[in-house]
């Protein structure tokens, strides 16, 4: 039962994303830019943390 609910949720998300892309491509591009900027910031923060740890956490 949970697998079916998960499949339905994934399909609904895909349909929603396609709807946003088709109806407003500029806004969709903005959302993608925000998402990649967030991923980049997270990766940078993890790198800074790992550098701090490698330096002896001082």
């Amino acid at each position: 039962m949970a697998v079916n609910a998960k499949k339905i949720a994934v399909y609904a998300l895909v349909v929603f994303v396609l709807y946003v892309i088709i109806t407003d491509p500029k806004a969709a591009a903005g959302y993608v830019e925000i998402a990649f900027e967030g991923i980049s910031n997270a990766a940078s923060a993890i790198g800074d943390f790992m550098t701090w740890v490698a330096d002896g956490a001082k």
Side-chain angles (χ1 to χ4, degrees):
M1 186 67 166
V3 175
N4 289 336
K6 185 177 179 181
K7 283 183 181 180
I8 291 170
V10 169
Y11 289 137
L13 180 64
V14 168
V15 168
F16 176 72
V17 168
L18 290 174
Y19 172 77
V20 170
I21 290 171
I22 291 169
T23 58
D24 196 358
K26 285 187 180 185
Y31 299 147
V32 170
E33 182 179 351
I34 290 169
F36 280 123
E37 189 173 309
I39 292 168
S40 175
N41 290 340
S44 177
I46 291 170
D48 291 343
F49 174 73
M50 291 300 174
T51 300
W52 176 74
V53 169
D55 287 340
K58 295 179 182 178

